Amino acid sequence: MAQEASSSTSSKTISLKTGDGEIFEIEASAAKQMKTVQRLIDDLGDDITIPLHNVFSKELPKIIEYYKKDITGEITKDFEAEFVKDLNDDEVKVLFLAANYLDANKLFEFLSQNIADRLESKSVEYVRKYFGVENDFTPEEESKLREERAWSFRGIKEDE
Amino acid sequence: MYLRCICSNKYEYAIGKEEKKCITLPSTVVLPHDLIVELLSYLPVKSLVRFRSVCKSWKTVIYDPTFVKLHLKRSPTRNPLFTLTTYHVPRTLGYYYSVIPYPISRFIENRSFNLSVDPYYSLEDKECSHIVGTCNGLICLSHYSYIDDQFNKEFWLRLWNPATRTISPQFGYFRGFYVFDFKFGYDNSTGKYKVVAFRYHNQKSNVRILSFGDNVWRDIEGLPAVPVHLHFNYHEHAAIGCVYLCGSLNWLAIHNINEYNYKDITVGQFLIVSLDLGTETYNQYMLPRRVDGVLSGTPTVSVLGGCLCFSYSYKETDFVIWQMKKFGVEDSWTQFLKISFHNLQVECNFSKPRMMHYFELVPLFLSENGDTLALTSIGDSNAILYNLSDNRVEQTKFTAARITTSGCSQWRNQKKITGWAAKKFMTYNL
């Protein structure tokens, strides 16, 4: 059964069930781009609904949209810009985590670069908040670090 | 939205508390440490240097050699750079100027631009006058001082990372006379940066290697053939006769220099001598046999699109470039370009004395998409941009030259730099 699935035409669709119980369809060729999904298909067969416990109904459609464009070779810089334009920081992070869970390499790399681009000119304080990281330097240690590399603190954006 | 990522202990604790309240969404989605490291590897160096201050674990990660390697892996193909040098007027003693890494892609898009030079990039306060070479964003610099009469110099190196704004102390001291040359490269097998010093004199060559970190010069076997340009044209040798590629140094060479007649040059006379920086031994590669006919002037070697190239003037009418598509595989030599000087809008005066020794048009670099080729004419020094897809030629006002380094050497024990751990010196591609 699994053998048949991998050699079938791209018109074959796979059913994916999110962690919150919703079902979405995706073309088999797009599913192949997500290694976790493909592994599940290989184990469970392509006729049953594939459960994705860690992906939810808010982000899966977006991911499906991305890979729909990918299999038709339509991913352009404009599409990618549009894709992330209205996402806030948390939404991008959630997509990023989902791409990681699904082992969807192309989307993962794209989102990695996008998050990096968002953070590139940000301040240290902003980045701490963004990642939920605590500052464990003493005030003296921190001011010493800043002094040593003062040049890297120039030209950063104001925190919103 | 639902709670998703279980990573740091802090978050698990929060989840425990939250769950009892039937889950409300957290104000921030927290990412696990290993994914954060992935994200960091996509950031440019300046941001990484700043984010050392975020917290202690980040500072450790950013300096970790494994992370540095990961970051380097992301960069090279993405944004290749070349170094711009700007001369300062008036020049002080020596050749003090600024060296600025500049993205090739930006240069190709816009050839006329104003550049405000950050004083940091000046070589003057680094007390160095020459660039030995660049590799993975590191720049190897050199300088010398006279010991006694004009013929004895003491010579040294410094390794500079303009992206992280760190520079090593002086190391690799040399003393002696007779001109020789240096090249800088990276050995993939050991992850070490190495400098090779070589001279050719009285039909004999001497080669020495220094690994950054060990900081001691070691003699190795001389070149198995004569480095042609070092013999005839040592001032330009660095630009035309020897190139670094894929962890090796490659010289255009010839077996018997006494049989060399510049009026009757054929490709079959030449070979490539390649020094593997890892094993520190030589390989020899033939040039393509398919090139027939007499060349006008000695061919030159260069690197284009990550491949070893050699180029020459054919019958005084055409400029030809061959690429070794797969390094070390003689069968992979492929003709990359053949274009008439007329179409390149280049006037080659073959009666000029220099032309008898080597052909002066030298390829500099190829754009990432393979469309634009930059060439320079040693002598005139103005860079030419040639678009391979639409055959457009543009003369630029940039003078582009490879800096040659000449120095002196005497093979004896050198001062050893102690207390400078190589691992302190990060390497980041820009």
Side-chain angles (χ1 to χ4, degrees), chain B residues 342-382:
Chain B
H342 175 77
N343 288 340
L344 269 180
Q345 298 172 25
V346 164
E347 268 183 49
C348 288
N349 182 353
F350 284 91
S351 60
K352 261 197 276 188
R354 186 198 305 121
M355 291 298 269
M356 294 192 293
H357 294 294
Y358 67 89
F359 183 60
E360 65 185 6
L361 203 56
V362 171
L364 276 183
F365 62 81
L366 190 62
S367 65
E368 225 180 312
N369 59 12
D371 267 351
T372 309
L373 174 68
L375 305 154
T376 188
S377 183
I378 299 183
D380 298 331
S381 295
N382 278 353

Side-chain angles (χ1 to χ4, degrees), chain A residues 56 90 93-94 109 112-113 116 119-120 122 127-128 131 133-134 136-137 149 151-154 156, chain B residues 4 27-29 31 35 42-44 46-47 49-56 58 78 163-165:
Chain A
F56 297 83
D90 275 353
K93 278 192 256 178
V94 164
E109 284 182 2
S112 300
Q113 188 64 61
L119 295 174
E120 182 182 327
K122 293 288 201 238
V127 165
R128 283 180 188 139
F131 288 103
V133 164
E134 266 188 45
D136 52 358
F137 288 117
R149 300 286 181 252
W151 63 272
S152 67
F153 287 84
R154 286 186 234 128
I156 58 180
Chain B
R4 212 144 293 136
S27 54
T28 354
V29 176
L31 304 179
L35 285 186
Y42 285 84
L43 283 166
K46 183 177 173 186
S47 309
V49 172
R50 182 166 71 251
F51 295 159
R52 284 153 79 245
S53 312
V54 165
C55 65
K56 288 184 180 170
W58 278 41
R78 191 165 293 153
T164 59
R165 301 205 175 192

Side-chain angles (χ1 to χ4, degrees), chain B residues 155-169:
Chain B
F155 193 86
W156 61 84
L157 305 168
R158 291 189 86 173
L159 204 53
W160 177 32
N161 186 337
T164 59
R165 301 205 175 192
T166 46
I167 189 166
S168 76

Side-chain angles (χ1 to χ4, degrees), chain A residues 1-10 12-17 24-52 101-102:
Chain A
M1 263 289 233
Q3 275 353 70
E4 273 178 35
S6 50
S7 60
S8 63
T9 61
S10 57
K12 170 107 184 155
T13 60
I14 309 281
S15 297
L16 302 174
K17 186 169 173 187
F24 295 92
E25 303 286 317
I26 186 174
E27 286 174 40
S29 50
K32 234 186 169 147
Q33 304 301 320
M34 301 185 250
K35 297 208 193 99
T36 304
V37 175
Q38 189 57 50
R39 276 196 288 269
L40 287 166
I41 292 173
D42 292 341
D43 286 342
L44 306 169
D46 58 357
D47 279 347
I48 81 159
T49 305
I50 307 290
L52 298 173
Y101 171 75
L102 293 170

Side-chain angles (χ1 to χ4, degrees), chain A residues 125-158:
Chain A
E125 293 76 18
Y126 184 97
V127 165
R128 283 180 188 139
K129 241 175 73 188
Y130 186 92
F131 288 103
V133 164
E134 266 188 45
N135 177 15
D136 52 358
F137 288 117
T138 66
E140 296 79 30
E141 284 171 338
E142 188 173 350
S143 64
K144 183 159 179 270
L145 285 173
R146 283 178 184 250
E147 239 180 78
E148 280 171 2
R149 300 286 181 252
W151 63 272
S152 67
F153 287 84
R154 286 186 234 128
I156 58 180
K157 290 199 199 124
E158 286 287 317

Side-chain angles (χ1 to χ4, degrees), chain B residues 73-94:
Chain B
K73 202 168 60 140
R74 302 247 184 261
S75 338
T77 49
R78 191 165 293 153
N79 199 11
L81 297 164
F82 67 118
T83 49
L84 287 178
T85 55
T86 66
Y87 287 92
H88 296 295
V89 175
R91 275 197 226 169
T92 50
L93 190 69

Side-chain angles (χ1 to χ4, degrees), chain B residues 138-429:
Chain B
L138 288 182
I139 302 181
C140 185
L141 301 168
S142 66
H143 197 50
Y144 59 86
S145 66
Y146 291 98
I147 301 168
D148 36 49
D149 54 36
Q150 298 277 318
F151 301 109
N152 269 305
K153 291 185 200 170
E154 177 154 65
F155 193 86
W156 61 84
L157 305 168
R158 291 189 86 173
L159 204 53
W160 177 32
N161 186 337
T164 59
R165 301 205 175 192
T166 46
I167 189 166
S168 76
Q170 297 164 353
F171 69 99
Y173 286 87
F174 253 120
R175 203 175 253 228
F177 53 98
Y178 286 129
V179 171
F180 66 103
D181 217 340
F182 292 101
K183 275 290 186 192
F184 174 55
Y186 178 68
D187 165 31
N188 293 302
S189 63
T190 56
K192 286 194 161 175
Y193 287 89
K194 296 189 178 182
V195 182
V196 178
F198 48 95
R199 69 175 175 180
Y200 178 77
H201 183 68
N202 281 342
Q203 305 206 21
K204 224 178 53 126
S205 67
N206 296 105
V207 185
R208 291 199 120 191
I209 291 189
L210 177 145
S211 288
F212 185 70
D214 303 337
N215 299 331
V216 177
W217 289 100
R218 288 173 288 111
D219 283 304
I220 64 166
E221 212 184 313
L223 294 162
V226 179
V228 170
H229 288 294
L230 199 53
H231 180 83
F232 288 120
N233 313 300
Y234 65 79
H235 286 299
E236 279 83 24
H237 174 262
I240 58 175
C242 177
V243 288
Y244 164 77
L245 177 70
C246 297
S248 63
L249 283 191
N250 302 276
W251 286 267
L252 184 72
I254 193 167
H255 278 301
N256 193 339
I257 201 76
N258 296 320
E259 287 173 4
Y260 193 69
N261 175 5
Y262 60 77
K263 289 196 185 130
D264 180 21
I265 301 173
T266 57
V267 167
Q269 292 174 287
F270 298 99
L271 64 143
I272 302 282
V273 166
S274 180
L275 171 64
D276 183 313
L277 290 180
T279 61
E280 297 179 1
T281 56
Y282 298 97
N283 291 306
Q284 298 180 31
Y285 306 121
M286 301 310 295
L287 294 175
R289 313 292 182 137
R290 296 185 305 290
V291 180
D292 52 16
V294 171
L295 313 183
S296 326
T298 312
T300 60
V301 285
S302 54
V303 175
L304 284 181
C307 297
L308 181 66
C309 290
F310 91 103
S311 51
Y312 54 88
S313 151
Y314 183 65
K315 293 189 174 167
E316 298 191 5
T317 53
D318 294 302
F319 180 59
V320 185
I321 304 175
W322 285 72
Q323 259 184 328
M324 192 183 220
K325 288 289 191 189
K326 262 193 161 158
F327 183 66
V329 176
E330 288 164 353
D331 285 338
S332 70
W333 280 111
T334 313
Q335 186 172 296
F336 171 71
L337 178 71
K338 183 172 183 175
I339 183 172
S340 67
F341 297 126
H342 175 77
N343 288 340
L344 269 180
Q345 298 172 25
V346 164
E347 268 183 49
C348 288
N349 182 353
F350 284 91
S351 60
K352 261 197 276 188
R354 186 198 305 121
M355 291 298 269
M356 294 192 293
H357 294 294
Y358 67 89
F359 183 60
E360 65 185 6
L361 203 56
V362 171
L364 276 183
F365 62 81
L366 190 62
S367 65
E368 225 180 312
N369 59 12
D371 267 351
T372 309
L373 174 68
L375 305 154
T376 188
S377 183
I378 299 183
D380 298 331
S381 295
N382 278 353
I384 302 165
L385 290 180
Y386 172 64
N387 190 311
L388 288 122
S389 49
D390 60 17
N391 289 317
R392 261 184 314 122
V393 173
E394 188 181 327
Q395 307 272 350
T396 73
K397 292 209 175 63
F398 281 93
T399 57
R402 305 257 172 78
I403 316 282
T404 60
T405 305
S406 60
C408 310
S409 72
Q410 193 173 46
W411 313 128
R412 57 165 222 194
N413 288 332
Q414 310 303 323
K415 277 189 233 169
K416 191 171 171 178
I417 302 286
T418 53
W420 177 261
K423 69 177 161 97
K424 265 200 225 165
F425 199 78
M426 291 184 297
T427 72
Y428 279 129
N429 199 322

